[in-house]
Amino acid sequence: MDAQQLLDQAAELPYGEAKTTLLERALREADRELAIQIRMDLTEAYQYGAEPAKSFVTFSRSVAEFDAEPGRFTDWQQYNLLWQYKWICSDMRRFHEVPLQRAYDALAEMERRYRLAGHGLHAVYGARAGIAAHLGDREAAEEWFQRWQITPRDDMSDCEGCDPSHKVALLSWMGRYEEAIELAAPVVAGELTCHVQPQGILTNLLVPYLRTGRFAEAVTAHLRAYRIVQGDANYVEDFGDHLQFCALTGNEARGLEILERELPLLERSPTPGDRLHLAGCAALLLGRVEALGQGGLTVRGETVSALRIRLEGMARDLAARFDARNGTGEQTRRLEARLATEPFTDHLPLVPHARRTPAPQPVVRSDDWALPLIEEVAARTARGDSAGAAVARVELCAAYADTGRPLEALITGEEALAMLPEDDADNRLAVRRVMVLTQLDLGEHDAALAVLTELAEDMATHGYHHDAAVMTEQRADTLDKLDRDAEAAALFAEVAVSYERLGDQDGRARALRRHALSLYWAGEEEASLDAIRAARTTLDRLDDPTWERAAHDREEANILRFFDRDDEATELLRSAVAGFRAAGDEESARTVEGWLD
């Protein structure tokens, strides 16, 4: 495989070891021209693959080659090189091994090159504000922050999700919590997202929310953000913020669960700065657990007390190293202040049923079928009925999901699975089904894929063959949403066979229709036309084929349009409109009608 093929293959992979390994191999085999692009791709892969230290070398080589022969770089490559300056300058302050003057020199060089290329200094001022805050220079940080705020955005500015996130972190450090919350509002509302948002800004908002008494918003931010980042080495610093949240809100048990899960990533921290933050926040949590008389509990084989001592020592050593490099005491001051922070409340429930003591509730009529289940779980938990509380959580998980509370549903499902006996297959499968469908509702498609496969296999093992087919169809639908169309087409065909074996003609017709459409999106237009027409032969077996026939008309019309057979397509679309209306689906009828205009 040559360098270009390796580069193309790497482009299809998510950030991580597999991608960087392919790019490293491609770089070794590339000619001079292709090496330019590969080296820049490798810098990016190191950054997003939690190995930023390695990016210093590839970035420096790229800069040296550009300075030697700028004509070899395309306009895009020149732009990208300047963009990568932001990553490098930001990372330099996070490595105590990098001399402070070198970080300042890099910032000065970044500014010089931006001016020379005709770019604004919006991103430069943000970088200068960041290093000033790192040093504890409040006056300089506020000055650079003001310049950052008033300078117009330009092509070198971070995206409209990330730029506010960095500002929120700085405003929080300054104690300007209300401003931070106001600035974050559009990102929190979901209007501005990217690869690292909204999880980044939600994590940065944890302290402002707690400091301003917005406890409900803090809970939501914690639950939403941690679900996205868990297990990802790129978010080691964020793990620290979530541990701190748990320590300061009486959620020590959840904090220990997170620490148990993420502790192995401490030694794989992308930077020493990330390691310092996680170690310090973990020590705060462990200190709270000790204060509750639970210092003998273990986390990955180490007692809480012993681990606290070890992590405090690690954090203090790293803080001292940064302070020695910086010539200030800022990092040690921050660490000691964090370790001395008192909780904001004795206990902030993450879900309604997590009250430590059940509250008497007035008897009222309500359409919210979760309410009586919330009370049942709380009451059973309070009187020590663990088995009953576990079973009640199964139904409560479904109730939360059904009433539009997905985060509560997932938390409750996790609790139920931890409490239910391993041999209670029915309840465990029911909870897992609700949880994976909730993941899909939240847009967690990649994470849900593996779960759907395992769940379908387990359902079949326990004799729930139709449920297994439904989960397999859901997996095919997820592949479709991820634009993995060839895989989706194959799986829809497999599901159609399963439905036929089970006697579910509606499921079979639906799966065959989706199979044909996935073939079309996979670029197999001829095969898709043959498949949608073959699928029509199944419609006569349906008890009421009205809606499904309209859907078949709609899909075949779309395929025919590809072949410029517009008259046939128009006739089918009209038939689809009439069919959807006859089936009572006015929304689909209006949508297809719009295609006829």
Side-chain angles (χ1 to χ4, degrees):
M1 192 176 294
D2 64 23
Q4 184 62 59
Q5 290 173 317
L6 291 168
L7 179 61
D8 294 341
Q9 187 175 344
E12 300 298 319
L13 295 176
Y15 294 111
E17 183 178 0
K19 186 183 189 81
T20 54
T21 298
L22 278 178
L23 288 171
E24 288 168 345
R25 181 179 164 194
L27 184 59
R28 289 194 295 269
E29 299 181 15
D31 59 30
R32 290 180 70 244
E33 300 310 313
L34 188 57
I36 291 174
Q37 184 60 51
I38 295 175
R39 189 172 288 109
M40 296 179 77
D41 286 353
L42 194 50
T43 297
E44 180 176 308
Y46 286 144
Q47 283 286 323
Y48 288 106
E51 297 182 290
K54 293 182 178 180
S55 68
F56 290 150
V57 175
T58 51
F59 175 76
S60 297
R61 177 69 181 273
S62 294
V63 170
E65 290 197 350
F66 174 77
D67 288 343
E69 298 180 83
R72 292 174 54 210
F73 285 65
T74 66
D75 290 345
W76 168 249
Q77 288 168 341
Q78 293 181 43
Y79 170 85
N80 202 24
L81 188 62
L82 293 178
W83 184 274
Q84 291 182 354
Y85 251 100
K86 296 188 296 182
W87 300 340
I88 300 302
C89 288
S90 175
D91 283 339
M92 281 185 168
R93 72 171 183 264
R94 294 183 170 91
F95 285 87
H96 57 76
E97 301 92 337
V98 176
L100 184 61
Q101 188 57 51
R102 185 176 300 173
Y104 278 132
D105 291 345
L107 270 172
E109 186 63 11
M110 173 181 170
E111 179 171 341
R112 183 187 73 82
R113 290 176 184 268
Y114 277 31
R115 289 183 183 276
L116 191 62
H119 295 296
L121 300 183
H122 182 264
V124 174
Y125 295 149
R128 291 195 179 278
I131 199 167
H134 173 75
L135 297 173
D137 188 341
R138 184 172 297 271
E139 183 179 347
E142 290 185 350
E143 179 184 344
W144 289 118
F145 178 78
Q146 180 63 19
R147 293 195 191 186
W148 187 11
Q149 278 284 73
I150 64 176
T151 300
R153 290 176 50 80
D154 62 84
D155 288 344
M156 283 295 136
S157 299
D158 283 346
C159 80
E160 292 183 283
C162 287
D163 188 65
S165 183
H166 300 321
K167 289 177 178 175
V168 165
L170 194 60
L171 286 168
S172 180
W173 173 74
M174 294 175 180
R176 294 160 62 178
Y177 304 119
E178 293 290 350
E179 290 177 67
I181 292 167
E182 182 181 355
L183 182 66
V187 186
V188 174
E191 298 170 15
L192 306 167
T193 62
C194 72
H195 179 68
V196 295
Q197 301 300 341
Q199 61 268 33
I201 204 164
L202 289 171
T203 300
N204 290 340
L205 282 168
L206 289 173
V207 169
Y209 280 151
L210 290 174
R211 290 286 182 187
T212 58
R214 292 174 170 87
F215 287 175
E217 290 88 341
V219 166
T220 300
H222 164 65
L223 295 178
R224 284 182 63 193
Y226 182 67
R227 280 204 60 77
I228 298 171
V229 305
Q230 63 180 354
D232 189 336
N234 286 292
Y235 293 96
V236 165
E237 185 175 31
D238 290 36
F239 298 156
D241 292 317
H242 290 286
L243 292 178
Q244 177 176 261
F245 167 84
C246 292
L248 300 180
T249 58
N251 285 288
E252 294 87 1
R254 177 170 172 83
L256 287 179
E257 291 173 6
I258 293 174
L259 184 58
E260 177 84 21
R261 182 183 298 119
E262 311 296 1
L263 187 59
L265 294 177
L266 180 66
E267 296 304 325
R268 291 175 49 202
S269 298
T271 73
D274 295 329
R275 188 177 300 117
L276 163 59
H277 189 70
L278 177 55
C281 293
L284 169 65
L285 170 74
L286 295 167
R288 289 295 309 151
V289 176
E290 276 189 292
L292 296 173
Q294 300 295 320
L297 295 176
T298 59
V299 178
R300 292 193 168 263
E302 200 168 356
T303 67
V304 163
S305 296
L307 183 58
R308 177 193 57 79
I309 292 170
R310 179 167 73 84
L311 294 184
E312 271 190 16
M314 177 189 296
R316 286 188 170 114
D317 176 68
L318 285 166
R321 290 172 183 267
F322 275 105
D323 287 342
R325 189 273 302 265
N326 297 338
T328 71
E330 174 65 12
Q331 296 304 311
T332 296
R333 283 194 294 271
R334 286 191 197 185
L335 173 61
E336 297 304 329
R338 172 169 290 115
L339 294 174
T341 305
E342 292 295 324
F344 290 94
T345 180
D346 289 339
H347 181 234
L348 178 60
L350 301 183
V351 286
H353 65 268
R355 299 190 304 268
R356 284 184 170 167
T357 56
Q361 297 293 319
V363 178
V364 295
R365 295 181 62 81
S366 173
D367 293 332
D368 186 352
W369 66 289
L371 288 179
L373 292 167
I374 290 170
E375 298 309 315
E376 181 181 356
V377 169
R380 288 182 179 276
T381 302
R383 62 175 181 259
D385 180 8
S386 297
V391 174
R393 278 176 168 84
V394 176
E395 195 170 357
L396 180 55
C397 174
Y400 278 143
D402 190 55
T403 54
R405 289 172 277 194
L407 296 175
E408 289 89 339
L410 290 168
I411 289 284
T412 307
E414 290 167 359
E415 292 173 349
L417 291 175
M419 298 170 69
L420 289 166
E422 289 293 331
D423 60 0
D424 188 353
D426 288 355
N427 279 320
R428 295 183 71 85
L429 289 172
V431 169
R432 290 167 62 195
R433 182 181 186 279
V434 173
M435 290 178 68
V436 75
L437 294 178
T438 302
Q439 279 185 283
L440 292 171
D441 287 343
L442 288 172
E444 299 176 7
H445 297 112
D446 288 306
L449 273 178
V451 178
L452 285 165
T453 302
E454 183 181 345
L455 183 55
E457 292 172 355
D458 289 348
M459 285 176 165
T461 298
H462 288 91
Y464 297 105
H465 298 291
H466 192 272
D467 287 337
V470 171
M471 289 299 99
T472 304
E473 183 181 4
Q474 191 67 62
R475 181 166 171 250
D477 180 72
T478 304
L479 288 168
D480 172 73
K481 285 184 170 65
L482 293 171
D483 294 328
R484 293 165 61 174
D485 300 303
E487 296 172 77
L491 200 54
F492 277 125
E494 178 185 319
V495 172
V497 173
S498 296
Y499 280 137
E500 182 177 24
R501 188 184 306 119
L502 293 164
D504 183 348
Q505 297 303 329
D506 291 282
R508 179 183 181 227
R510 181 179 61 248
L512 287 173
R513 171 173 54 81
R514 298 291 304 277
H515 164 69
L517 191 59
S518 291
L519 285 174
Y520 175 74
W521 293 121
E524 299 183 42
E525 293 85 6
E526 292 281 359
S528 70
L529 185 56
D530 291 341
I532 195 67
R533 289 179 168 171
R536 280 189 180 278
T537 63
T538 66
L539 299 179
D540 291 337
R541 303 184 189 181
L542 306 187
D543 292 335
D544 182 1
T546 307
W547 190 94
E548 191 61 45
R549 192 182 303 280
H552 274 68
D553 289 341
R554 178 187 60 196
E555 315 306 14
E556 185 173 345
N558 279 328
I559 296 168
L560 286 170
R561 282 180 162 183
F562 173 83
F563 294 102
D564 295 325
R565 293 162 64 173
D566 294 337
D567 291 343
E568 295 172 74
T570 298
E571 183 177 345
L572 283 171
L573 288 176
R574 287 177 179 145
S575 175
V577 171
F580 283 131
R581 286 218 164 96
D585 185 354
E586 185 61 29
E587 182 179 355
S588 294
R590 284 198 300 269
T591 298
V592 176
E593 209 165 34
W595 300 349
L596 290 167
D597 294 339

